[in-house]
Amino acid sequence: MEHQPTPSPAAGDPSRVIETVFRMESPRVIAGVARIVRDVAIAEELAQDALVAALEQWPRDGVPDNPGAWLTATAKHRAIDLVRRRERYARKLAEVGRDLEATPYHVDEPADPDDIDDDLLRLVFTACHPVLSAESRIALTLRLLGGLTTAEIARAFLVAETTVAQRIVRAKRTLAAKGVAFEVPYGPERDARLGSVLEVIYLIFNEGYAATAGDDLLRPALCEDALRLARVLAELMPKEPEVHGLASLLEFQASRSAARTGPNGEPVLLGDQNRTRWNRLLIARGVTALGRADAVATGAPGPYALQAAIAACHAHAHRYEDTDWARIATLYGLLAARSPSPVVELNRAVAVSMAEGPGPALEIVDRLAGEPALRGYHLLPSVRGDLLARLGRTAEARAEFERAASLARNERERELLRARAALPLN
């Protein structure tokens, strides 16, 4: 996987640099250790132990040339020690001990991304095991592979942080109690677990594409992880249309990343983006993946293929004014029927506003006002504010933008919403 260059200690507070590095590398560290200890909870604890070691040593000795390999090596050494100490792992040591001993974990040795992929896939499918509830599968994988905090996961789910924390704890205990194998399943079992895996990858990408909290709008490493996993799954399951649908959607979305922020990291709305900065290679990959989804589909398109088709409409429009909003509104209607959701309906309202005008769209948005899942969701008042502004209801629009700003947890989004609330609205 491709990742952002590691910050040097000179870039600021060493502890902040270490925390940033750990956030980027922790999924790989956990995945690699889980292959040894076969327990995701223990693997996460050992990864945290490696972080503590880094906090102790790096400020004194400097950040290693390859910090990810250092963290992985440290965690794996501790995992091997743990396996040795526990008598119940005696049989495991007899089987894999020679291989582990023969593998030199040099601190400064670059990690091989090809070795990591299999471990990440095993970790995804383990976290998505059917012994867990759907919500727990997604929350656990976001925590382990995405490196997200419980607050960020709660934002993705639109539920309380305590609920997410409880799901993660229960999920780890269940996996350990049931003795779930750390493996990629095959045959019917793999097909049955695929839907949850796709949802996990989708949520990981979304967190990277529009960070729920912090000072930056984008977290590129998460997008790269999700996109890489989607591509790997597409190769693994070439006859599954929704795998290609998700891959297509993420390719299209990722193609716009460079144009979504300005020189100072501020958000740039879709209508204001410089489309020459859209990545044409990723768009081409998205078109190819969508074609594969259509080619292997045997029935109506699924939710990811429909979202990919919507993204394709934006990708094919060389100017914002050329966007086929009527088709997008129709596709959102199909998506709402196929996979009902208040968020989908809110997106449909935006498309309707562009195709038919703000009046009909406002009626849709107002019907969503009482939805429990959208309580505290800043995009609801943001969309409503935009519609009111276009209808000339300036004072109401300002109030909606102010409310949206108060609900937004990402600083960049807050700044944009406050600016919209302060500007004269026509």
Side-chain angles (χ1 to χ4, degrees), residues 17-242:
V17 173
I18 295 167
E19 290 171 4
T20 300
V21 170
F22 184 76
R23 181 119 181 190
M24 294 169 61
E25 298 294 342
S26 62
R28 295 158 189 78
V29 177
I30 294 169
V33 173
R35 177 160 51 88
I36 298 171
V37 298
R38 305 285 170 170
D39 185 310
V40 294
I42 294 175
E44 187 176 18
E45 291 175 5
L46 292 170
Q48 290 292 333
D49 287 346
L51 171 62
V52 172
L55 288 169
E56 293 173 349
Q57 297 181 38
W58 293 5
R60 181 188 68 235
D61 303 333
V63 178
D65 291 337
N66 193 321
W70 192 100
L71 289 167
T72 299
T74 300
K76 283 185 175 181
H77 279 311
R78 297 187 181 208
I80 294 169
D81 289 341
L82 178 63
V83 170
R84 288 196 184 109
R85 287 197 306 267
R86 296 192 174 184
E87 291 183 358
R88 66 174 179 267
Y89 285 123
R91 182 175 301 174
K92 175 183 175 66
L93 277 174
E95 295 172 354
V96 303
R98 281 189 293 273
D99 290 337
L100 292 174
E101 291 290 350
T103 303
Y105 294 113
H106 299 302
V107 169
D108 294 325
E109 182 180 354
D112 184 351
D114 291 334
D115 291 340
I116 296 298
D117 288 340
D118 288 342
D119 288 340
L120 286 173
L121 281 173
R122 290 187 186 100
L123 187 56
V124 170
F125 276 99
T126 301
C128 293
H129 197 281
V131 297
L132 306 177
S133 69
E135 294 84 1
S136 294
R137 297 173 208 169
I138 296 167
L140 181 61
T141 308
L142 283 170
R143 173 67 182 152
L144 297 180
L145 277 98
L148 307 188
T149 65
T150 54
E152 290 166 339
I153 299 171
R155 184 62 176 172
F157 281 124
L158 304 176
V159 297
E161 291 181 32
T162 53
T163 301
V164 171
Q166 290 169 358
R167 287 174 183 171
I168 292 173
V169 170
R170 285 197 300 265
K172 291 176 182 177
R173 289 175 179 169
T174 301
L175 290 174
K178 298 291 185 180
V180 171
F182 186 67
E183 63 184 10
V184 177
Y186 292 93
E189 184 183 2
R190 184 177 67 187
D191 295 337
R193 287 160 60 180
L194 179 62
S196 178
V197 172
L198 295 180
E199 188 171 6
V200 166
I201 294 173
Y202 180 60
L203 285 175
I204 291 173
F205 182 89
N206 278 350
E207 179 58 34
Y209 194 67
T212 56
D215 297 332
D216 298 318
L217 181 68
L218 304 178
R219 293 171 59 193
L222 281 182
C223 292
E224 292 165 7
D225 283 348
L227 189 54
R228 177 62 174 168
L229 285 171
R231 290 170 179 169
V232 170
L233 279 180
E235 294 298 321
L236 182 67
M237 306 185 73
K239 296 183 179 179
E240 175 53 56
E242 277 292 80

